[in-house]
Structures are given as structure tokens and as C-alpha cells.
Amino acid sequence: MEKNPQPQAINAGKLFRHWLCAMKFRFTVAISGTASDFASFDAGYGVKTPIEIVCHISQLLQNCFSTIAGSPRVRLESKGWYEEAARFYEIVEQLGICIKC
């Protein structure tokens, strides 16, 4: 088998959209079937709770969106579990739409 001497060009937008879809899928799998008190699970030793982790990831994604869209960065305040999960999905959707522009 002959090796291709030229690496294929990577479509950054397509790769980023794929990454967003993978994050959305993995998040959905991770929270499916969790108990109502899952959001506040405390593993101890200073480990962040699930709601703190989701808020942090949403903040990172929001900062990414702000950078791409050229809008000002905002500080996200933690909400309830269902609101936090909904915000995660909303930001992922916004990023996906923004990347298509």
C-alpha cells in the first residue's frame, strides 16, 4: 500500500461541529438516568460537584462563543440543575450556528 505524501486538509468548521456534537452526545449519556440529587454529589477532597462542572464547561463554551461572535464575555452564574443542563445545550447550539456563518 502506497502512503499518501500529502496530508489531507482539515476542514476546521466541520471538525469543530463534530466536536460539539460529540460533547452534546457525551453530556446527554452522562446525565441520563441520574438521580434527582446527582447535581449536588460531593466526592469530597475539594472535588467539584456535577453542577459546578457543568457550569464551568458552559462558561468555557460561552467564552468560545463570545470570541468567535465578537460579543462581550459574560460571567455565568450557577443555576439549578435542569436550567444548567438546558444552558449547556443552548450554548452548544449557538456555537454550532455561529460556526456555520
Side-chain angles (χ1 to χ4, degrees), residues 18-85:
H18 177 76
W19 178 79
L20 287 173
C21 288
M23 278 196 57
K24 185 176 174 182
F25 173 76
R26 294 291 182 176
F27 179 70
T28 301
V29 169
I31 66 169
S32 294
T34 56
S36 59
D37 61 348
F38 173 72
S40 60
F41 173 74
D42 183 3
Y45 303 104
V47 175
K48 291 184 182 291
T49 64
I51 196 166
E52 290 171 330
I53 293 168
V54 174
C55 185
H56 178 74
I57 293 170
S58 293
Q59 182 70 62
L60 293 173
L61 293 173
Q62 179 63 43
N63 289 345
C64 183
F65 174 76
S66 295
T67 300
I68 292 169
S71 59
R73 290 188 177 192
V74 294
R75 174 101 173 112
L76 301 179
E77 297 299 325
S78 185
K79 297 182 175 187
W81 177 246
Y82 297 107
E83 293 86 358
E84 202 62 59

Side-chain angles (χ1 to χ4, degrees), residues 7-22:
Q8 292 184 343
I10 296 174
N11 181 322
K14 186 175 180 181
L15 182 63
F16 191 67
R17 284 190 297 277
H18 177 76
W19 178 79
L20 287 173
C21 288

